[in-house]
Amino acid sequence: MSTYVYGIIRAAHSPLREDLDGIGDPPRPVRVLRQGELAAIVSDAPDQLRPKRRDLLAHQRVLHEAGAGGVVLPMRFASASPDDDTVTQVLAERVEHFLERLQALDGTAEYNIKANHDEEAVLRLIMADHDDIRSLGEANREAGGGTQEQQIRLGEMIAAAVQAREATDAELLQQTLQPMAKAVSAGPQSTGWLANFSFLVDRGSAEQFLTAVDELRQEHPHLELRVNGPLPPYSFVDIPSSQQAEGGTAEAFGAAAQPNG
């Protein structure tokens, strides 16, 4: 049976609850594998592991419990290894990198922020900021809608202006919040979001960071911001460093997908 890996901790980390259950149906008991200065939080892995809500929540629950006792390097959901010996071998081979990451991430949390536009609000801004678009729109209305060519032209101009505004607002979001974060990671782009950033924030500065997000909302009401956090620092486990061996931490344990989406 393969070994499921939740995260990496220092060997001196506070003990986990003995009754802590992990993924699977029935849930697999969580245990700790120690190797020198490091340890891995693991359980037996189910034969077939899929991203069901029950298991996603169990993965996050284990990390939450472990995080209450000290810094944890969180692995992505579905990170697994052939057996316990392979896990301890990876810990031994990458000890310097893991210890560096544990020190760098101590006392931090990840906040993921996704941004989108309020369509009506951003359209009003574009009309106010672009004389040519506003003039063509008014001319079309006065002409009973305008010709098909004029309508197509107006639509193309608005689409280009919206795209430019998305790039501007993504940069605004990053530049405004980056000074209050230790690091920033750009997430994968997806339909429906103009920006997707994860910020590594000192827990002691979290209130200040969230206040800045609220101020950004108030100053730019055309922006819709979704905040997810505090989270384990999923996006910052494998920031390159001089100690990092070739290949990522996630790859070392066969990671599949992040639970924070």
Side-chain angles (χ1 to χ4, degrees):
M1 181 174 291
S2 59
T3 301
Y4 186 93
V5 185
Y6 300 88
I8 297 169
I9 55 178
R10 296 187 179 99
H13 191 280
S14 299
L16 302 182
R17 286 190 1 240
E18 294 184 1
D19 60 345
L20 184 59
D21 287 330
I23 62 169
D25 186 17
R28 272 56 172 180
V30 173
R31 48 198 172 84
V32 175
L33 298 177
R34 287 180 171 79
Q35 172 62 46
E37 297 180 69
L38 297 171
I41 304 169
V42 305
S43 68
D44 292 341
D47 293 333
Q48 293 184 336
L49 181 60
R50 295 183 176 86
K52 296 181 180 178
R53 176 175 174 79
R54 177 192 63 230
D55 287 331
L56 289 169
L57 292 176
H59 181 100
Q60 294 185 63
R61 183 177 63 250
V62 170
L63 290 173
H64 177 76
E65 291 281 347
V71 59
V72 181
L73 297 185
M75 295 296 102
R76 296 168 181 163
F77 179 79
S79 297
S81 191
D83 50 41
D84 288 3
D85 289 343
T86 303
V87 174
T88 54
Q89 181 181 351
V90 172
L91 295 181
E93 291 175 350
R94 306 198 57 197
V95 58
E96 291 184 357
H97 169 67
F98 290 144
L99 288 174
E100 182 272 332
R101 285 289 84 202
L102 284 165
Q103 181 177 357
L105 299 178
D106 199 1
T108 66
E110 176 174 333
Y111 286 85
N112 175 259
I113 299 184
K114 293 181 173 67
N116 201 358
H117 276 156
D118 179 301
E119 294 184 4
E120 293 186 3
V122 79
L123 184 58
R124 288 194 295 270
L125 283 177
I126 287 171
M127 287 298 183
D129 293 342
H130 295 266
D131 293 339
D132 53 345
I133 295 177
R134 185 173 63 255
S135 297
L136 181 55
E138 292 173 352
N140 284 357
R141 284 194 298 274
E142 292 174 358
T147 65
Q148 183 177 8
E149 182 179 351
Q150 290 171 326
Q151 292 174 1
I152 292 174
R153 175 59 179 156
L154 179 61
E156 290 173 343
M157 292 170 67
I158 291 175
V162 169
Q163 187 175 15
R165 186 77 196 203
E166 288 178 347
T168 298
D169 285 335
E171 184 177 1
L172 171 69
L173 176 64
Q174 182 173 359
Q175 289 184 350
T176 301
L177 299 178
Q178 186 167 348
M180 283 161 286
K182 297 183 68 174
V184 182
S185 176
Q189 295 183 349
S190 62
T191 303
W193 302 109
L194 65 89
N196 177 11
F197 292 112
S198 287
F199 296 87
L200 184 66
V201 179
D202 280 323
R203 291 186 180 273
S205 304
E207 185 175 350
Q208 178 185 1
F209 178 82
L210 294 174
T211 297
V213 175
D214 287 338
E215 291 175 350
L216 196 60
R217 285 194 182 102
Q218 294 172 10
E219 294 172 5
H220 303 277
H222 68 287
L223 280 178
E224 297 177 345
L225 303 178
R226 191 186 83 176
V227 181
N228 189 14
L231 301 166
Y234 294 105
S235 302
F236 303 94
V237 172
D238 273 317
I239 295 175
S241 66
S242 59
Q243 292 87 5
Q244 185 171 357
E246 184 177 356
T249 304
E251 286 78 0
F253 292 116
Q258 291 195 52
N260 60 317

